[in-house]
Amino acid sequence: MNAGIPALDAGHFVLCPAGERPPRPRGMGTAEGVGDRLRTAAFAEWQAITAFRWAAAHFDDVPHQLRADWLAQVPDEERHYQLITAAMERLGVTAAGRPVSDRLWRTLSACATGRDFCLQIALEEERGRQGALRLVEFLADADPETAAVFRQIAADEVAHVELAEKYFGWRPEVK
């Protein structure tokens, strides 16, 4: 990592060893596979909380209002984290059940400028939004309560993604 970038506190999660990928998620048709996706999503929210706070304090090459807007995203990310971990608890999924990757944090903390960070986090948030929508579709009938959590998260992420367009005229294209 770059100098001055704090190590990520993994909380209750278990990180896969540096340079290794986490285990592939198990099939969506299994409770374990859904648990794998919930764990990954919760850890992504955990990393986003850290990243938004870090970027707001770290980058002075962007307007003050953008840094304030990043900090304004933190309560949403914290709420998303709480919603997902509540679903995990309800379903008996533990944070430490399988290793997760800190790739998101490593990618974001490697950004050299505030603009780079803004565009990268918008891309990551859009990827997460699209993944949430796929999870909603899959869980709609089997687990409407968890589907509702991810439906709300997907709706909230739109505003996070829009910061890149507002400040830099850029929208991520994710397939």
Side-chain angles (χ1 to χ4, degrees), residues 143-165:
D143 184 352
E145 190 174 347
T146 303
V149 164
F150 283 93
R151 190 175 297 110
Q152 182 60 56
I153 290 170
D156 291 346
E157 299 298 5
V158 171
H160 303 188
V161 172
E162 287 176 346
L163 289 178
E165 184 171 15

Side-chain angles (χ1 to χ4, degrees), residues 9-29:
D9 171 6
H12 299 295
F13 297 92
V14 173
L15 289 178
C16 59
E20 290 185 23
R21 298 179 70 98
R24 291 182 60 93
R26 292 166 282 193
M28 279 290 290

Side-chain angles (χ1 to χ4, degrees), residues 48-156:
I49 293 164
T50 301
F52 276 126
R53 286 182 177 146
W54 171 79
H58 181 76
F59 292 114
D60 57 7
D61 63 334
V62 295
H64 173 76
Q65 186 56 51
L66 175 54
R67 294 191 314 267
D69 286 345
W70 286 335
L71 287 176
Q73 306 310 306
V74 171
D76 278 351
E77 302 293 357
E78 290 172 332
R79 186 170 41 80
H80 298 165
Y81 175 77
Q82 292 300 324
L83 289 168
I84 297 168
T85 56
M88 288 170 62
E89 186 173 325
R90 180 174 48 79
L91 297 171
V93 177
T94 63
R98 285 183 72 155
V100 293
S101 171
D102 65 351
R103 181 203 62 81
L104 176 60
W105 170 247
R106 286 184 287 108
T107 299
L108 293 170
S109 64
C111 291
T113 67
R115 179 185 185 279
D116 292 347
F117 175 87
C118 189
L119 302 186
Q120 187 65 46
I121 200 158
L123 176 63
E124 301 295 347
E125 294 276 337
E126 179 60 19
R127 284 180 179 147
R129 190 186 75 76
Q130 290 183 18
L133 292 173
R134 286 189 298 275
L135 201 51
V136 166
E137 189 175 310
F138 183 83
L139 294 174
D141 293 329
D143 184 352
E145 190 174 347
T146 303
V149 164
F150 283 93
R151 190 175 297 110
Q152 182 60 56
I153 290 170
D156 291 346

